[in-house]
Amino acid sequence: MSAPVEARPPGRPLDTQRESALLDAALELLSEVGYERLSLTEVCRRARASTKTVYRRWANKEQLMAAALRRAVCRAVDEHVPQASSGSLREDLLRNLLPSALPEQQRTPQYISGLLVAASGGDEVGRMAKELCRLQHARMAETVLGWARERGEISAGADPVLVADLARGALIHQVLVADSQVDAMFVRSLVDHVLLPVLAPCRNGGSW
């Protein structure tokens, strides 16, 4: 899976360090206050930059957040790798669905809701937000089910896209609709009562 190609924004270029500080500040604020409450003024304050500096590069909040989310997608592609195989499909799912498997800023309800709000748009912000929502669980499911196939636990018919969609939907519901925690008990219930039963027709024998 390759990272998206970043087109050069229309504004004047900034030095790499200053640009990184602004994009990181935008992502930090997304995890703290969500998308709608995020402001360019606060991004500048957090990054210790002037609003003039921001407007040299991005015309508005939407352009800044598109760049910040693109940065997050590229980081996820380059850096996030599921933990090493435990030797069991069940254990691999449990370990990689726990909140501790995510970067700290991606665990907050504000970050999740902010991504969903951003994803509702049809612009570049929406496209990057959708990609980031999809990427984490898609890569986890592809890797974990790949390990299980190599061990002979499941057949080639097991669908990582379905597993990723079910996991993502359950986690979003738990955080935003049920207003509850994604803890070890919730993850065990998700794995034992949803994901493994869905994968049961693809078992090659043995027990979970």
Side-chain angles (χ1 to χ4, degrees):
M1 185 179 299
S2 59
V5 176
E6 181 174 0
R8 184 186 179 279
R12 292 169 57 191
L14 301 175
D15 67 81
T16 302
Q17 186 174 2
R18 180 59 58 87
E19 181 173 333
S20 295
L22 287 163
L23 297 179
D24 286 344
L27 292 172
E28 288 173 4
L29 284 167
L30 180 66
S31 72
E32 294 173 13
V33 303
Y35 183 75
E36 292 180 312
R37 292 177 58 198
L38 187 148
S39 70
L40 288 180
T41 300
E42 185 59 22
V43 170
C44 291
R45 189 196 68 77
R46 181 72 58 94
R48 298 182 179 179
S50 67
T51 53
K52 182 178 178 180
T53 300
V54 172
Y55 287 119
R56 280 176 52 199
R57 176 73 153 151
W58 301 287
N60 49 42
K61 168 181 165 179
E62 287 71 28
Q63 288 187 8
L64 170 65
M65 288 310 301
L69 290 171
R70 187 183 303 109
R71 177 180 176 84
V73 169
C74 291
R75 281 178 170 175
V77 169
D78 293 339
E79 297 175 3
H80 178 74
V81 178
Q83 300 177 41
S85 172
S86 67
S88 158
L89 173 59
R90 180 178 185 272
E91 186 62 27
D92 286 343
L93 288 169
L94 291 173
R95 289 168 60 182
N96 285 285
L97 287 171
L98 284 172
S100 58
L102 284 172
E104 185 172 353
Q105 71 176 22
Q106 294 186 24
R107 304 172 197 171
T108 69
Q110 292 86 354
Y111 186 87
I112 296 171
S113 62
L115 276 186
L116 292 178
V117 170
S120 66
D123 54 9
E124 180 71 359
V125 177
R127 189 173 75 82
M128 288 293 103
K130 288 183 181 77
E131 178 67 8
L132 199 55
C133 284
R134 185 194 67 81
L135 187 61
Q136 167 69 26
H137 293 102
R139 296 192 73 202
M140 179 279 296
E142 288 173 3
T143 303
V144 168
L145 267 61
W147 289 333
R149 289 191 195 98
E150 291 174 0
R151 292 190 298 261
E153 288 185 86
I154 58 175
S155 68
D159 185 358
V161 175
L162 177 59
V163 170
D165 288 348
L166 289 171
R168 185 187 309 108
L171 294 171
I172 289 174
H173 183 278
Q174 180 75 353
V175 172
L176 299 184
V177 179
D179 194 23
S180 191
Q181 296 294 315
V182 175
D183 54 18
M185 182 179 297
F186 170 79
V187 171
R188 280 197 302 272
S189 179
L190 171 61
V191 170
D192 290 340
H193 299 139
V194 178
L195 301 184
L196 293 181
V198 165
L199 289 167
C202 296
R203 281 180 64 182
N204 285 342
S207 61
W208 298 120

